[in-house]
Amino acid sequence: MAADPTVVLTNDDGIDAPGIAALHDALRDVADVTVVAPVENQSGVGRRATREFQVHEHDRGHAVTGTPADCVAYGLHLVDDPDFVVAGCNDGPNVGADNVGRSGTVGAAAEAAFLGHAAVAVSAYDPVEGALVDPDRSAFDEARTVTRRLVDALDPSTLTESDAYLSVNAPTRTTSSTRLRLTEPVHDYSLRVDEGDDGYAVTSAFYDPLRPDRDEAVTDPVGTDRRALADADVSVAPLSVTTNTVDHAPFRSLEDAY
């Protein structure tokens, strides 16, 4: 019988968050899990790393005073060549190219993948409200199921040989028609800057499919992560690890002019 896969489990909401507790409960049934997570909430830090941190023992595992990327570094120091690095479960969706790029949950998976390890970022969303309000472990039931199945069934080399990692968004409430969709992040994103009495405020301008007052005539294309959320499906977006360059030809004049 093959040995259980080894998993480094981290998050960006902090080691005491209910989302990481839910995934720990789910994964320890099918894997050898080592928890390395931030002491405090580190939402929105992306792949930022401090590279200097302290580690404290915690009932759940190892609590790190740094960022999710720091947690990944320490987790890879503790566990020699884990089969998976799993980040989450985030208590709200991570969809759209802008949000994925800023997320600490997705950032942890991206850091692990960049270092050559199979990685999965997991987020949960409410099909009506989007973000989760005062979530408990039961809110992550579908995320638990999806994550356990992925770690149990997926060959890590499928990710590493594809230079990819997964960004998963699972609903808190499912229906008889809920299914898993392979998706890509939506790219329609812009910013508005407003001046107020105390300075400036930046507002993200994009269509939110989960708004209770949304315009039903506006929909995202099938195949996008936000469309999957609007349909209360599980979104799994395989994202690229590498920072690829574009065609050099249009920029050759820069070499000549320098």
Side-chain angles (χ1 to χ4, degrees):
M1 178 180 292
D4 289 340
T6 52
V7 172
V8 171
L9 176 62
T10 190
N11 73 346
D12 72 351
D13 292 322
I15 197 166
D16 292 313
I20 197 169
L23 289 196
H24 187 217
D25 290 347
L27 289 175
R28 63 186 178 186
D29 292 337
V30 296
D32 179 5
V33 184
T34 300
V35 175
V36 184
V39 171
E40 298 178 340
N41 190 306
Q42 295 284 330
S43 295
V45 301
R47 280 183 61 193
R48 183 169 68 86
T50 66
R51 300 307 189 206
E52 294 184 359
F53 48 82
Q54 296 179 331
V55 180
H56 306 289
E57 295 307 306
H58 186 280
D59 290 345
R60 193 165 290 142
H62 308 271
V64 173
T65 59
T67 66
D70 293 325
C71 294
V72 169
Y74 187 70
L76 297 177
H77 165 74
L78 284 179
V79 182
D80 183 33
D81 195 21
D83 293 299
F84 291 95
V85 174
V86 176
C89 183
N90 197 63
D91 58 359
N94 279 306
V95 295
D98 61 301
N99 197 14
V100 166
R102 293 184 173 93
S103 164
T105 303
V106 180
E111 180 75 0
F114 197 79
L115 293 170
H117 297 273
V120 180
V122 187
S123 306
Y125 71 94
D126 185 291
V128 175
E129 300 297 336
L132 279 60
V133 180
D134 297 328
D136 57 23
R137 291 194 195 188
S138 64
F140 302 96
D141 284 350
E142 186 65 14
R144 286 162 44 108
T145 299
V146 172
T147 307
R148 185 172 60 244
R149 288 178 178 173
L150 288 174
V151 168
D152 193 34
L154 187 63
D155 185 337
S157 65
T158 303
L159 290 170
T160 55
E161 291 176 4
S162 301
D163 285 329
Y165 62 98
L166 301 181
S167 177
V168 179
N169 285 274
T172 56
R173 297 178 252 180
T174 60
T175 69
S176 59
S177 60
T178 295
R179 59 191 179 91
L180 186 149
R181 292 187 187 181
L182 293 178
T183 64
E184 63 176 326
V186 197
H187 290 271
D188 64 335
Y189 173 72
S190 61
L191 293 175
R192 186 181 71 247
V193 178
D194 298 312
E195 184 176 4
D197 295 336
D198 299 322
Y200 293 88
V202 178
T203 302
S204 300
F206 61 87
Y207 162 66
D208 182 357
L210 305 180
R211 282 202 322 256
D213 61 341
R214 64 181 179 266
D215 180 355
E216 296 295 346
V218 180
T219 57
D220 293 301
V222 173
T224 59
D225 52 6
R226 232 167 46 200
R227 174 62 181 270
L229 268 64
D231 294 339
D233 282 336
V234 177
S235 167
V236 177
L239 303 179
S240 171
V241 172
T242 56
T243 305
N244 296 316
T245 57
V246 298
D247 181 13
H248 286 192
F251 306 98
R252 289 298 181 195
S253 61
L254 297 175
E255 293 181 327
D256 300 333
Y258 185 74

